[in-house]
């Protein structure tokens, strides 16, 4: 899809109240798109709406939990009434969970599966039938992660959801080509957003000191969500199937493809370093 001028087009963004979702909504507004935005955080959502409206765009917003299929269906119906069409769907809302597999309780697994995987499925289920029926084509972006192709110790729950989003997106892309709807799995690396602050941590990783170290590492890396938003717009423009974003995400993508044994060795080494640290 040509993203140079999105006047007259409508983009839906889930998890638009912070980080990558907010930056992507504003990048699309800059190019002229009108926006349908949702989040569970009403305050963050209101800030994004205000910033988008300053850019002259028409917005519709709703407090929606992407894990709730009925709420997502209602969001789609209300978007259709408010803005009359949908051209771009960005399934971005997601959470983090950290901790060794044996320490992460099943309720944390259920929560992250419901948000990070089923949230993406609910977004597609609610909006795609209307997009297909309209026959105008369009684009779906599902936010996966570098953790969707690189294994990392202490991140099995998060990684499982992101591998799933990548696989789902590749299948969907093949099906939707017929309808001129592109699908991109966007895979950011380490991005400076509040996600580490809000991630649930379990076992020995659940310490204020370790969380603070994580936050500082993301801050030092300092790759902004605005740069991810530019990468997302480019992925839509070029109709990329998989779009790693940031140098580390690209490096991981190439290493996993050409040197999978090296990536597995590195994961084992990090696991052993973690064990030594906790012993
Ligand atoms: N920050 C990173 O390093 C990074 C890297 C790769 C992928 N990602 C992915 O990018 C996406 C956005 O993350 P971010 O870093 O901008 O984090 P963030 O915490 O800044 O933003 C996530 C937003 O999603 C919302 N949200 C959470 N659960 C929700 C739910 N059930 N329903 C609706 N909204 C919900 C939050 O309220 C928040 O506004 C996530 O899918 C995340 O996994 C982030």
């Amino acid at each position: 899809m040509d993203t140079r001028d999105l006047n007259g087009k409508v983009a839906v963004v889930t998890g638009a109240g912070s980080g990558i979702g907010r930056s992507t909504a504003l990048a699309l507004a800059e190019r002229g798109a009108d926006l349908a935005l949702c989040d569970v955080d009403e305050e963050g959502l209101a800030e994004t709406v205000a910033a988008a409206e300053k850019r002259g765009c028409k917005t519709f917003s709703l407090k929606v939990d992407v894990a709730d299929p009925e709420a997502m269906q209602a969001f789609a119906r209300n978007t259709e009434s408010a803005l009359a069409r949908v051209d771009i769907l960005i399934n971005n809302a997601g959470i983090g969970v950290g901790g060794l597999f044996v320490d992460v309780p099943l309720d944390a697994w259920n929560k992250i599966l419901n948000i990070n995987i089923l949230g993406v499925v609910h977004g597609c289920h609610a909006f795609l039938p209307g997009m297909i029926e309209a026959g105008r084509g369009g684009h779906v972006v599902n936010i996966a992660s570098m953790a969707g192709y690189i294994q990392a110790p202490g991140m099995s729950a998060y990684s499982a959801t992101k591998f799933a989003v990548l696989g789902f997106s590749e299948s969907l892309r093949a099906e939707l080509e017929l309808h001129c709807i592109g699908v991109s799995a966007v895979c950011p690396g380490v991005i400076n957003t509040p996600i580490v602050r809000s991630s649930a941590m379990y076992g020995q990783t659940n310490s204020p000191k370790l969380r603070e170290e994580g936050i500082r590492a993301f801050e030092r890396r300092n790759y902004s969500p605005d740069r991810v938003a530019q990468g997302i717009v480019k992925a839509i423009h070029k109709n990329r199937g998989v779009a790693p974003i940031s140098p580390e995400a690209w490096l991981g993508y190439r290493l996993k493809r050409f040197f999978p044994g090296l990536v597995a060795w590195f994961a084992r080494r990090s696991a052993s370093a973690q064990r030594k640290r906790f012993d």
Side-chain angles (χ1 to χ4, degrees):
M1 179 190 289
D2 192 333
T3 52
R4 284 171 297 185
D5 179 3
L6 294 175
N7 270 295
K9 298 230 165 30
V10 171
V12 176
V13 184
T14 71
S18 170
I20 294 169
R22 172 179 290 165
S23 292
T24 305
L26 298 181
L28 295 168
E30 294 279 359
R31 285 164 179 76
D34 291 328
L35 299 174
L37 307 174
C38 80
D39 204 296
V40 282
D41 169 11
E42 282 184 292
E43 221 173 280
L45 190 58
E47 283 174 31
T48 307
V49 167
E53 286 177 349
K54 264 196 204 148
R55 288 161 172 80
C57 107
K58 200 167 154 193
T59 61
F60 165 70
S61 67
L62 202 60
K63 180 181 180 188
V64 177
D65 179 351
V66 295
D68 177 347
E70 311 283 307
M72 283 300 280
Q73 292 290 341
F75 179 43
R77 283 195 302 276
N78 287 322
T79 297
E80 181 65 32
S81 313
L83 299 171
R85 60 186 287 160
V86 171
D87 302 281
I88 298 172
L89 168 62
I90 315 269
N91 288 304
N92 160 76
I95 58 167
V97 165
L100 295 179
F101 173 74
V102 289
D103 293 325
V104 176
L106 283 180
D107 59 357
W109 269 91
N110 282 327
K111 185 171 180 192
I112 196 167
L113 294 174
N114 281 326
I115 295 174
N116 288 16
I117 303 181
L118 286 181
V120 173
V121 173
H122 296 155
C124 291
H125 230 260
F127 286 96
L128 271 175
M131 289 171 74
I132 291 170
E133 200 187 314
R136 287 186 290 260
H139 205 95
V140 177
V141 171
N142 295 328
I143 307 296
S145 167
M146 176 183 170
Y149 46 81
I150 293 281
Q151 62 273 46
M155 287 178 65
S156 61
Y158 184 74
S159 212
T161 66
K162 296 304 184 178
F163 268 72
V165 169
L166 188 54
F168 169 66
S169 305
E170 289 194 313
S171 286
L172 193 64
R173 178 176 171 86
E175 285 184 28
L176 293 182
E177 191 183 24
L178 169 73
H179 303 288
C180 298
I181 298 175
V183 179
S184 301
V186 165
C187 303
V190 175
I191 313 303
N192 191 11
T193 72
I195 197 164
V196 184
R197 284 178 201 282
S198 56
S199 291
M201 310 293 274
Y202 295 93
Q204 283 167 308
T205 60
N206 183 21
S207 89
K209 184 169 174 274
L210 282 184
R211 188 185 294 276
E212 207 45 45
E213 280 177 20
I215 292 168
R216 294 290 155 260
F218 274 57
E219 283 174 357
R220 271 198 309 278
R221 173 69 188 90
N222 199 24
Y223 198 98
S224 74
D226 289 349
R227 289 176 75 185
V228 180
Q230 296 311 320
I232 289 172
V233 172
K234 194 165 161 192
I236 299 171
H237 193 79
K238 299 200 174 246
N239 191 17
R240 292 217 162 109
V242 180
I245 296 185
S246 79
E248 65 275 14
W250 270 109
L251 179 68
Y253 191 62
R254 296 276 183 245
L255 285 177
K256 179 73 177 198
R257 189 156 175 201
F258 297 112
F259 305 102
L262 180 67
V263 176
W265 173 82
F266 194 72
R268 289 197 305 276
R269 264 193 64 119
S270 332
S272 132
Q274 270 184 22
R275 273 195 304 274
K276 276 192 195 130
R277 189 168 182 198
F278 293 141
D279 282 347

